[in-house]
Amino acid sequence: QVQLVESGGGVVQPGRSLRLSCATSGFIFSSYGMHWVRQAPGRGLEWVAAIHYDGSRQYYAESVKGRYTISKDYSKSTLYLQIDNLGAEDTALYYCARDKGTVTPDFDYWGQGTLVTVSS
Amino acid sequence: DVVMTQSPLSLPVTLGQPASISCRSSQSLVHSDGNTYLDWFQQRPGQSPRRLIYKVSNRDSGVPDRFSGSGSGSDFTLKISRVEADDVGIYYCMQGTYWPLVTFGQGTELEIK
């Protein structure tokens, strides 16, 4: 069965970097686009980043461009999100989601999320 | 930017009664391919989001037929015909028409009265 398991969250000081991981199984990782969606405490869902199934293109929300980098490791079937220069606004639960769409995003599976807390 | 506005933001409902959530977009969600990419998600307390409806009115596998989606252009509705205790949570609409811009509504919290 399809599984998405996020990890890498924690309490991080402002200005530091963090890499989130989303380990996948149960499907052909190289055939699907992948996304990160976050949810700040008590807030709604916010789309953050996406990567094409073959890694050829990456997309970012304006609010994170320049500080976030999404990538895929096909040998490990794992999705990553590198976050640099962390600030309070990055505090959130980060979900990875699988995309089976061909025209627009079609989220069919989500992970359970990994919590990032930025605090000194 | 495409802004998605949901109403109400809080929805107390009596068990067995119907519920309706509105989602309006600041621009038409009709894609150049003729489809309208408006989805509805349910997020139960402590859980990840789960999609209920895709392309306005198509129910995902395993979603009870108590849930239905309708609408067109920039005006959409999610209806629950008879609310059950299991339906408690936050409901979000999401547009994908303007990909690579993806926008969610603010969310509507459904609670049992």
Side-chain angles (χ1 to χ4, degrees):
Chain A
Q1 72 281 22
V2 173
Q3 286 197 309
L4 308 175
V5 180
E6 301 94 335
S7 62
V11 179
V12 190
Q13 291 181 330
R16 305 295 291 266
S17 296
L18 196 64
R19 189 178 77 163
L20 307 182
S21 300
C22 170
T24 75
S25 59
F27 64 99
I28 301 172
F29 185 62
S30 58
S31 296
Y32 290 85
M34 297 292 296
H35 295 248
W36 288 96
V37 176
R38 69 183 178 184
Q39 186 169 33
R43 305 291 296 273
L45 300 171
E46 180 188 15
W47 175 80
V48 171
I51 187 166
H52 207 51
Y53 71 96
D54 62 3
S56 60
R57 303 187 76 169
Q58 301 83 38
Y59 307 92
Y60 300 94
E62 283 297 324
S63 58
V64 305
K65 266 181 191 173
R67 294 193 303 116
Y68 285 38
T69 304
I70 188 172
S71 61
K72 294 177 99 180
D73 184 331
Y74 294 91
S75 67
K76 296 180 179 178
S77 296
T78 298
L79 174 73
Y80 298 105
L81 184 69
Q82 174 78 24
I83 308 175
D84 296 323
N85 191 22
L86 280 152
E89 68 276 15
D90 300 311
T91 293
L93 184 61
Y94 286 76
Y95 296 102
C96 62
R98 191 181 82 162
D99 178 4
K100 67 181 180 73
T102 55
V103 175
T104 70
D106 188 348
F107 301 130
D108 60 348
Y109 285 92
W110 295 62
Q112 84 292 346
T114 186
L115 182 62
V116 173
T117 303
V118 182
S119 174
S120 55
Chain B
D1 274 17
V2 181
V3 178
M4 306 297 289
T5 303
Q6 290 183 227
S7 63
L9 299 184
S10 177
L11 183 57
V13 184
T14 301
L15 285 173
Q17 292 300 301
S20 180
I21 300 170
S22 170
C23 175
R24 290 192 167 94
S25 57
S26 59
Q27 300 177 51
S28 170
L29 297 187
V30 179
H31 193 273
S32 57
D33 68 1
N35 288 306
T36 299
Y37 294 98
L38 186 284
D39 299 341
W40 287 97
F41 292 83
Q42 175 195 59
Q43 188 175 32
R44 291 175 173 143
Q47 294 189 13
S48 305
R50 163 203 182 197
R51 197 177 65 184
L52 301 174
I53 302 285
Y54 63 96
K55 287 193 284 186
V56 181
S57 59
N58 298 276
R59 264 191 308 277
D60 275 280
S61 175
V63 174
D65 59 9
R66 301 182 291 105
F67 291 90
S68 64
S70 64
S72 63
S74 59
D75 196 351
F76 306 94
T77 302
L78 176 70
K79 290 183 178 175
I80 308 173
S81 58
R82 298 172 308 281
V83 168
E84 298 183 0
D86 207 30
D87 300 335
V88 166
I90 303 176
Y91 292 79
Y92 296 93
C93 59
M94 185 204 88
Q95 72 80 22
T97 295
Y98 291 91
W99 172 248
L101 174 68
V102 172
T103 322
F104 290 92
Q106 320 99 297
T108 294
E109 185 166 13
L110 186 149
E111 62 177 35
I112 304 301
K113 229 188 262 185

